[in-house]
Amino acid sequence: MSNISVVVIGGGFAGLATATALAEAGVRVTLLEKRSRLGGRASSFRDAATGDTIDNGQHLFMGCYTETIAFLRRIGTLDRIASQPNLHVTFLEPGRSPDVLHCLLLPAPWHLASGLAGLRGLTWGEKWAARRVADAVRDGAVAANGATVAEWLRHLGQSGRIAERFWNVIALAALNDEPSRSSASLFAAVLSQAFFASSAGSRLGVSRVGLSELYTDAAVRFVESRGGVVRTGVGVSGIAVDGGRVQRVHLSNGETLQASTYTSAVPWKELSQMLPPTLVAGDPWFGRLRQLRSSPIISINLWFDRPVTTVEFAALLKTQTQWFFNKQQLFAQSGTPASYLSLVISGAHALIERPSEELTAMAVEELRQLVPASGAAHLVHAHVIKERHATLSPAVDVTRHRLEQETPIPNLLLAGDWTASALPATIESAVASGHRCAALARQRLSQA
């Protein structure tokens, strides 16, 4: 049995943000990750057939991700994110030439208005009506409690066409579920932070390296160079609670650890299995864990025998796939003869049970409709990744079920994208929760 200051359970964005913030403050921390690699639902690995790096889910970063930017700057890897000087998104649709949202360098929300003005797929009336959304977000006027994104947009006079060709694209990417089932209040929070607070907040960024290379190794070096410990391949089998406090954690290898403070940075399903069953079943606060649901993401990685496009990423309209990312371009491998693309389906409830071969065939067929040059290319390899529990479902009632960082157990804190925040389950939400837990842990240690 060992005594340490803080134990952090989970080695994804939330756990590593917690651990590095504590290490920076001089706190002795031990981080535990049950898997052999760090990163959780935002990690990468080598494809056995090609040797290329595959992310287990594609992630876009935004200029409004202030906590994430602070985390990456802390560990020295912010330069691995390539950020746009201004918001620029290509839209692809079968049978039509590409449309482009290109925002001028103007103050918010005028930068977004300039981008909408250039979209050919919308009427001027629809573009003008978009101001009602901006006004509602600015005034805090989210329709009624329990409104979905689709209901809220209709309430604000948005046509089906601008919903389909613009607002729903943002909602699916940010919330990871269909607008017909997603919370309007969460969507309004995204719009407020990303598009209407400042023009810089809407700038998109992509990692030029695999997600693991972006942050996991650098975070480990940061923690260990300051006296902390990071252990992989060692999970927590149970959190022992007695006398209203966590007394120890039991590890999968039979070991136990004691600390002054404990932070869980794992998904809610894993937390439910670690806590005493009587606590989850009998305590109203922890019982909220049973009300949470997840939303899936499918990533379809395709390799062709030749380059098929120079576009780095694009939003896709009127297809099952919703985004594609040109990994060959993003990873600066354009000199190689092959082409490596990743297509993403968010909120993939209806497709998650389909065989990988069927999903691959669907993605290839849609890509041929969207990118004509791919018609002459030969598919040489495919790798489908299904993240069944990729994110917290952004259902309209989710806010009242998410758990806060501080729990009824004084020395147990919670981090993770699923915990209570005004944001949906994003990387920014995960990192912000980790930083909040680090601040609370330091506070508790100072009072001990």
Side-chain angles (χ1 to χ4, degrees):
M1 187 174 293
S2 174
N3 285 283
I4 49 185
S5 294
V6 179
V7 164
V8 177
I9 308 167
F13 263 107
L16 290 170
T18 306
T20 56
L22 287 169
E24 185 177 44
V27 176
R28 187 180 172 211
V29 59
T30 291
L31 182 142
L32 306 169
E33 168 56 51
K34 71 175 183 179
R35 294 193 247 190
S36 60
R37 70 172 188 263
L38 296 164
R41 288 163 291 132
S43 62
S44 56
F45 58 94
R46 291 286 178 186
D47 178 63
T50 66
D52 287 330
T53 297
I54 298 181
D55 293 325
N56 67 348
Q58 181 63 49
H59 294 273
L60 280 171
F61 298 81
M62 301 193 74
C64 60
Y65 279 20
T66 55
E67 299 285 345
T68 306
I69 290 169
F71 167 58
L72 295 177
R73 182 177 289 118
R74 177 188 306 131
I75 62 176
T77 62
L78 184 58
D79 61 348
R80 298 175 190 177
I81 298 289
S83 296
Q84 300 174 328
N86 54 301
L87 180 61
H88 181 100
V89 179
T90 299
F91 292 80
L92 299 180
E93 181 180 351
R96 294 174 64 108
S97 58
D99 208 354
V100 178
L101 176 79
H102 180 79
C103 297
L104 301 178
L105 295 175
L106 298 171
W110 301 109
H111 74 301
L112 187 58
S114 72
L116 283 171
L119 284 177
R120 299 191 311 274
L122 303 175
T123 68
W124 282 106
E126 288 165 333
K127 295 171 185 178
W128 178 248
R131 79 189 191 284
R132 297 174 190 164
V133 176
D135 291 343
V137 172
R138 181 194 62 210
D139 298 339
V142 180
N145 281 338
T148 66
V149 171
E151 292 167 343
W152 185 57
L153 291 175
R154 285 196 297 269
H155 173 76
L156 295 174
Q158 304 303 291
S159 71
R161 181 161 50 187
I162 194 172
E164 178 187 42
R165 304 184 71 85
F166 184 69
W167 297 120
N168 290 355
V169 174
I170 301 172
L172 271 166
L175 305 181
N176 187 34
D177 218 332
E178 293 292 334
S180 60
R181 68 172 87 196
S182 300
S183 163
S185 61
L186 282 176
F187 185 50
V190 170
L191 295 177
S192 176
Q193 186 182 69
F195 295 98
F196 301 140
S198 73
S199 59
S202 64
R203 298 171 188 168
L204 298 177
V206 290
S207 177
R208 294 296 189 188
V209 296
L211 285 171
S212 293
E213 188 179 347
L214 173 65
Y215 74 106
T216 60
D217 291 345
V220 170
R221 288 193 296 270
F222 190 94
V223 170
E224 292 181 341
S225 68
R226 288 158 178 80
V229 175
V230 176
R231 300 176 61 181
T232 58
V234 180
V236 171
S237 58
I239 299 174
V241 179
D242 188 32
R245 295 179 64 84
V246 176
Q247 300 298 330
R248 70 193 66 82
V249 290
H250 297 275
L251 307 189
S252 55
N253 63 1
E255 187 181 349
T256 61
L257 288 181
Q258 284 186 323
S260 299
T261 303
Y262 304 80
T263 294
S264 168
V266 298
W268 73 91
K269 288 180 176 292
E270 293 184 33
L271 176 63
S272 297
Q273 295 166 357
M274 293 176 189
L275 291 170
T278 54
L279 190 65
V280 177
D283 183 89
W285 197 89
F286 285 104
R288 289 150 63 192
L289 290 168
R290 294 178 293 172
Q291 305 302 318
L292 299 176
R293 300 293 182 267
S294 57
S295 187
I297 292 178
I298 297 173
S299 299
I300 306 168
N301 299 281
L302 305 175
W303 284 260
F304 293 92
D305 62 350
R306 70 198 72 181
V308 298
T309 180
T310 58
V311 176
E312 288 196 340
F313 62 89
L316 312 180
L317 303 174
K318 296 187 177 179
T319 52
Q320 298 270 29
T321 50
Q322 299 149 1
W323 289 83
F324 89 69
F325 295 85
N326 188 341
K327 304 308 280 275
Q328 210 75 17
Q329 295 282 120
L330 294 175
F331 289 170
Q333 296 173 331
S334 55
T336 63
S339 180
Y340 167 26
L341 306 176
S342 182
L343 288 86
V344 178
I345 306 171
S346 298
H349 301 279
L351 299 172
I352 196 69
E353 298 300 336
R354 291 197 185 181
S356 294
E357 295 78 11
E358 185 178 330
L359 293 169
T360 297
M362 179 193 75
V364 170
E365 175 58 29
E366 291 187 347
L367 187 66
R368 299 206 192 284
Q369 298 175 41
L370 296 162
V371 182
S374 67
H378 174 64
L379 181 71
V380 296
H381 180 57
H383 190 125
V384 176
I385 298 174
K386 298 178 180 181
E387 284 282 356
R388 295 177 181 273
H389 305 291
T391 67
L392 176 72
S393 170
V396 293
D397 63 345
V398 71
T399 299
R400 67 172 181 262
H401 301 311
R402 297 172 81 173
L403 303 190
E404 295 77 16
Q405 268 69 69
E406 295 185 89
T407 78
I409 300 172
N411 65 337
L412 176 63
L413 304 170
L414 303 182
D417 59 359
W418 62 272
T419 58
S421 75
L423 297 173
T426 58
I427 285 174
E428 178 69 359
S429 181
V431 175
S433 72
H435 287 165
R436 171 68 174 153
C437 281
L440 290 168
R442 290 178 58 195
Q443 183 183 67
R444 281 156 173 69
L445 291 172
S446 68
Q447 296 170 349

